[in-house]
Amino acid sequence: MIKNFSVLCVLMSVLCLMSFHAFALTGEEVVKKSQEAFFYQGKDFKARVIMKLISKGGQERTRELTMLRKNFGELGGEQKFFMYFFQPADVKDMTFMVYKYPAKDDDRWLFVPAINMVRRIAAQDKRSSFVGSDFTYEDVSGRDVEDDTHTIVKEEKVGASPAPSGAGASDCYVIKSVPKAADVDYSYKISWIDKGNFLPLKEEYYDRRGELYRAFTADEIKTIKGFPTVTKRIMKNLQNGHMTETVFTKADYNIGIEDSLFSERFLKAPPRKWIE
Amino acid sequence: MSKMVGFIFFVAIFMLCFLPPYLEADDISVHGFLQGNYSADLDRSNPDGGDFKWAEERVQLKLDANKEAFHLFLKTDAFYDHVEEEAETELREGYSDFTTSKWDLRIGRQVITWGLGDLIFINDIFPKDYEAFFSGRPMEYLKKGVDGIKIGMYPSFVSTELVIIPFFEPNVYPQDNSFYMFAPMPTVANRVEEEPKSKVDNTEIALRLYRDAAGFDGSLYFYRGFFRQPSMLPDSMSAPSRIVLFYSVLSVYGASIQGRLLDGIMSLEGGYYDSRQDRDGTEPMTPNSQTRFLVGYQRQIWEDFTMAFQYYGEYMSDYSGYEKNLPSGFPKERKLHDIFTVRLTQFLRHQTLRLSFFSFWSLSDGDYMLVPEIKYNFSDHVWAAVGANVFGSGEDWSQFGQLDKNDNIYLQLRYEF
């Protein structure tokens, strides 16, 4: 009888553990869902992006572009980006195209209108600054989930403002992500990921000495065609006091962008219906 | 300066005259810039005693208008040239586009850039302005527009660009009043330039087919037209009294491929220059046929720092025929003329400060050209660039060696709107 009871206990605890595993997410799963929510929502996406680069002394520079994105294959898979620049004046009409592949370097092309030339540009470093801002290419188009080890540190509530409803604090997973490669500019990152919509509400990057040097906040979230979308975000460099504020206007999903847009033809002559 | 104001006014009137047909356009935009561009001699004064290779103030207006499938683009410059002491206007580009989902058409003056070379051109057989390049003008002035028609067709298996150019446009080379250059037969002052006449037989055709090939960008090129650098035809080899400068017939067959390789971008391009008037290389004054090729590699070394290298060669066909028929007193070109280029680019201060260095080094001729430059964007509207063009070594007739005495330092200052 005692023997049977202990077998039952073991069975019960195994079942309990199994069910616990079935319902709780691992750090990696949370980050994967977050990437899907942040970078892959919808079949395609369009926004007018206004980036304000603000120096420590308060000098402001503006980068304004239309960004078009289309997913190819499964979530977390290949994506293509098309960007058309309105500002600053010396890059007006410039277009930029990125084919993003998981676990492989991007293909990037730049069109220089003054001489009507399309050029491929070297792109193996996704940690480089995007158009001189505090955002990197990875901040704009996502980082491979497999590049870091992700663990859930704790769960906590994060401030009231970013929630879609504008009310109440959001329950968040707090994730610590440690790059597997040694040559990455941060030694670890702490992210606060909303348990409801899986958007990152806050990110902190720590350098090799363990000091916080770069901080991201999602400052406005709007629901567009049912997709919660970060429409205002700020990245601050705490070491040099520089910051970049990015606002998405005219954001829209599932607008039927053709595959053919992502081609040299349209890089040279961007269709008005997509860039306006 | 009052002349300058007059020309700005003239351009404004010109633009206003062009506007009315497009008043119902879906959208119209006007942009442009004000620019000062000066290039001072570093080595010695110009042959005519001047101290500037280039000195100008310039205004550019760009007008875009759209109406459904139509697009109009005008890019007009007005400038005051302090070297020639004259004001001028120039239509840099002016074309109309018609676009459908399967094909498009561009008619008018347009700049076209083909091929993969960085300041080296094999299959880009469109006209260049080398005077602008050697005088420290902004890079866009190296390219000249062609007056012609471009038809684009985009079936799924290959994209096509066909360019038809009825009006011949030669390259621009430095002027002998401001540049010291090698000139064969310098005593013959009677020189006549004969451009190909605009007729059906002389219409230039350029074709490019391109597509993705296993992740690489592949292109095929064909051109039938003329060399854009003139050849000299003296009336007599022994005692010339008159020289005709003419543009010899040319066909080019080429290909290029570019893609990611070894953590960088690899470029390969080649072209066969078929000198149709001198297929056996026996005419001394007409260029021989050549094979031109380019290998390029660029890579980002660290954030905002890129290195790019190119090796370029021109291999002359029928070299023995060339040697045999070359008149005495003329410099003898080598069978292989090759050049190595290096470009280094470092961005700083959130990509508002750019330090760059470009250099040509000819392995066969031993000459070089160096272009160091600093460019800074003071704001979203104002930038300035300071740089130098330094030439040297080699021989007094070689491509860069002949420019040895023309070193210059330049300033480009621009307000864009």
Side-chain angles (χ1 to χ4, degrees):
Chain A
M1 190 62 198
I2 289 175
K3 197 181 171 188
N4 281 352
F5 179 73
S6 53
V7 168
L8 190 68
C9 279
V10 169
L11 265 173
M12 289 284 280
S13 27
V14 166
L15 278 170
C16 276
L17 278 171
M18 277 175 70
S19 61
F20 178 77
H21 272 283
F23 289 105
L25 293 169
T26 65
E28 185 161 322
E29 284 162 347
V30 171
V31 172
K32 193 160 184 294
K33 277 175 159 296
S34 177
Q35 290 254 340
E36 288 169 7
F38 200 33
F39 299 111
Y40 281 88
Q41 285 189 127
K43 291 190 185 78
D44 56 36
F45 173 68
K46 172 190 173 174
R48 177 78 74 104
V49 180
I50 298 160
M51 289 184 135
K52 282 195 178 135
L53 285 62
I54 304 162
S55 72
K56 195 179 182 181
Q59 198 196 359
E60 244 184 64
R61 293 172 193 265
T62 305
R63 309 278 172 267
E64 186 177 349
L65 59 133
T66 287
M67 182 170 86
L68 297 145
R69 181 256 291 164
K70 184 166 183 170
N71 296 352
F72 290 77
E74 77 280 24
L75 289 176
E78 189 183 331
Q79 289 181 314
K80 293 179 182 175
F81 292 81
F82 186 103
M83 297 175 210
Y84 169 88
F85 285 86
F86 294 92
Q87 285 194 71
D90 66 335
V91 300
K92 188 179 180 301
D93 294 329
M94 204 174 257
T95 51
F96 181 54
M97 183 165 75
V98 180
Y99 287 10
K100 190 193 120 189
Y101 312 101
K104 173 167 108 159
D105 289 337
D106 296 344
D107 281 318
R108 293 181 196 163
W109 294 263
L110 185 71
F111 169 64
V112 184
I115 49 174
N116 193 18
M117 177 185 74
V118 171
R119 260 300 123 83
R120 259 188 195 253
I121 53 176
Q124 74 279 14
D125 185 5
K126 295 181 184 184
R127 299 294 309 157
S128 292
S129 160
F130 176 72
V131 299
S133 74
D134 295 289
F135 291 92
T136 64
Y137 280 90
E138 280 184 351
D139 295 326
V140 175
S141 65
R143 176 175 169 86
D144 288 330
V145 177
E146 297 76 26
D147 285 353
D148 305 300
T149 312
H150 309 278
T151 43
I152 300 175
V153 182
K154 57 183 173 183
E155 296 178 13
E156 68 179 21
K157 285 188 187 297
V158 165
S161 59
S165 58
S170 308
D171 283 320
C172 287
Y173 293 107
V174 182
I175 307 275
K176 181 177 182 180
S177 303
V178 181
K180 290 175 185 168
D183 59 347
V184 180
D185 55 318
Y186 60 93
S187 63
Y188 66 94
K189 175 176 88 169
I190 306 289
S191 320
W192 283 259
I193 294 170
D194 190 312
K195 291 178 84 170
N197 58 28
F198 285 94
L199 289 175
L201 303 184
K202 205 166 91 168
E203 289 174 352
E204 293 178 345
Y205 293 79
Y206 292 84
D207 66 12
R208 295 191 191 290
R209 289 166 301 164
E211 281 180 40
L212 173 65
Y213 80 103
R214 197 166 170 263
F216 165 91
T217 49
D219 298 272
E220 183 185 74
I221 294 173
K222 285 183 183 162
T223 300
I224 297 159
K225 284 194 179 162
F227 299 110
T229 306
V230 179
T231 50
K232 181 177 172 187
R233 65 195 73 188
I234 291 172
M235 185 72 82
K236 278 184 188 159
N237 184 323
L238 302 166
Q239 273 168 349
N240 62 21
H242 199 278
M243 62 179 269
T244 302
E245 177 196 284
T246 301
V247 173
F248 284 8
T249 61
K250 303 180 185 175
D252 204 357
Y253 291 94
N254 296 339
I255 52 174
I257 300 171
E258 304 96 353
D259 292 359
S260 65
L261 174 72
F262 304 92
S263 64
E264 182 183 323
R265 178 191 182 191
F266 292 117
L267 208 52
K268 283 178 165 173
R272 303 207 80 75
K273 68 166 176 171
W274 293 126
I275 61 173
E276 282 306 310
Chain B
M1 203 60 203
S2 63
K3 269 186 194 169
M4 182 71 186
V5 174
F7 271 81
I8 294 170
F9 184 70
F10 172 80
V11 170
I13 295 290
F14 172 82
M15 298 297 259
L16 284 172
C17 291
F18 263 77
L19 273 177
Y22 301 94
L23 281 180
E24 289 180 27
D26 300 335
D27 60 286
I28 294 175
S29 70
V30 177
H31 293 272
F33 59 70
L34 298 170
Q35 173 183 282
N37 187 187
Y38 313 93
S39 167
D41 288 317
L42 275 177
D43 191 346
R44 66 191 71 188
S45 295
N46 294 339
D48 68 1
D51 291 313
F52 285 86
K53 296 275 185 257
W54 200 264
E56 65 161 28
E57 289 86 36
R58 175 176 295 255
V59 56
Q60 178 174 93
L61 291 177
K62 287 182 282 190
L63 178 134
D64 264 289
N66 289 280
K67 178 77 181 167
E68 289 151 10
F70 292 94
H71 169 227
L72 175 81
F73 181 69
L74 295 173
K75 186 195 272 189
T76 313
D77 284 17
F79 57 96
Y80 186 77
D81 176 351
H82 293 276
V83 175
E84 300 290 331
E85 296 185 336
E86 61 185 13
E88 267 187 67
T89 57
E90 179 187 10
L91 180 68
R92 295 287 305 168
E93 289 184 79
Y95 57 76
S96 187
D97 282 331
F98 180 74
T99 306
T100 74
S101 63
K102 294 268 183 280
W103 59 277
D104 50 37
L105 187 68
R106 175 168 291 180
I107 300 177
R109 180 167 298 177
Q110 49 191 303
V111 169
I112 303 171
T113 302
W114 285 357
L116 307 177
D118 180 3
L119 298 175
I120 281 180
F121 307 99
I122 299 176
N123 292 296
D124 185 329
I125 40 61
F126 304 104
K128 318 284 182 310
D129 184 342
Y130 287 101
E131 183 184 34
F133 178 58
F134 295 140
S135 307
R137 299 182 62 194
M139 200 49 65
E140 64 189 87
Y141 289 94
L142 169 61
K143 295 286 297 182
K144 287 176 76 184
V146 290
D147 295 332
I149 299 169
K150 187 178 74 172
I151 302 158
M153 280 168 290
Y154 309 93
S156 57
F157 58 97
V158 69
S159 297
T160 311
E161 285 180 319
L162 172 67
V163 183
I164 300 161
I165 311 169
F167 309 102
F168 177 77
E169 184 70 33
N171 285 347
V172 175
Y173 291 95
Q175 303 287 312
D176 58 10
N177 60 341
S178 51
F179 276 83
Y180 296 91
M181 286 171 303
F182 176 74
M185 302 185 184
T187 53
V188 186
N190 183 359
R191 288 166 189 244
V192 188
E193 188 183 350
E194 280 180 8
E195 287 187 12
K197 290 188 176 60
S198 292
K199 56 180 187 180
V200 175
D201 286 355
N202 284 347
T203 296
E204 298 164 65
I205 303 283
L207 178 70
R208 175 178 172 230
L209 306 175
Y210 63 97
R211 63 162 292 155
D212 168 83
F216 287 80
D217 305 329
S219 291
L220 294 174
Y221 310 87
F222 167 73
Y223 170 69
R224 185 183 168 90
F226 301 88
F227 282 95
R228 294 191 196 277
Q229 178 166 18
S231 298
M232 295 171 69
L233 187 64
D235 52 356
S236 150
M237 278 297 174
S238 49
S241 64
R242 183 174 184 271
I243 292 173
V244 174
L245 298 169
F246 72 104
Y247 297 89
S248 183
V249 289
L250 169 71
S251 291
V252 181
Y253 310 88
S256 71
I257 193 155
Q258 187 176 49
R260 272 186 298 109
L261 202 72
L262 304 169
D263 288 337
I265 305 282
M266 180 68 82
S267 309
L268 294 174
E269 184 174 351
Y272 179 69
Y273 273 54
D274 178 8
S275 179
R276 283 183 279 124
Q277 193 176 312
D278 186 22
R279 283 215 163 111
D280 49 9
T282 53
E283 284 191 28
M285 292 296 124
T286 311
N288 276 25
S289 295
Q290 282 182 336
T291 305
R292 299 187 178 188
F293 57 93
L294 170 82
V295 183
Y297 178 69
Q298 59 155 314
R299 185 177 171 172
Q300 185 182 308
I301 306 298
W302 57 74
E303 177 162 8
D304 288 339
F305 178 70
T306 310
M307 289 176 91
F309 304 99
Q310 297 178 109
Y311 174 71
Y312 166 73
E314 295 174 352
Y315 187 83
M316 194 191 292
S317 309
D318 307 304
Y319 192 71
S320 58
Y322 166 78
E323 278 182 306
K324 207 180 294 171
N325 293 289
L326 186 73
S328 61
F330 273 73
K332 190 161 111 187
E333 287 174 38
R334 292 176 174 84
K335 188 170 187 175
L336 174 70
H337 173 217
D338 57 355
I339 295 175
F340 189 71
T341 76
V342 178
R343 180 185 287 281
L344 308 175
T345 310
Q346 170 77 62
F347 283 98
L348 296 162
R349 300 175 65 97
H350 293 270
Q351 299 181 6
T352 55
L353 177 63
R354 186 184 72 192
L355 309 178
S356 67
F357 174 76
F358 187 88
S359 58
F360 292 102
W361 304 88
S362 174
L363 308 175
S364 56
D365 295 3
D367 56 357
Y368 61 81
M369 175 181 179
L370 314 176
V371 191
E373 188 186 88
I374 298 175
K375 182 185 177 208
Y376 182 61
N377 284 59
F378 289 93
S379 72
D380 284 342
H381 295 283
V382 178
W383 61 259
V386 176
N389 294 303
V390 179
F391 312 90
S393 234
E395 299 173 71
D396 59 7
W397 52 264
S398 61
Q399 191 179 6
F400 305 113
Q402 64 174 314
L403 296 167
D404 194 16
K405 299 167 188 161
N406 298 290
D407 296 354
N408 59 76
I409 181 165
Y410 61 83
L411 167 70
Q412 302 161 359
L413 181 63
R414 193 181 277 189
Y415 169 79
E416 305 217 30
F417 57 88

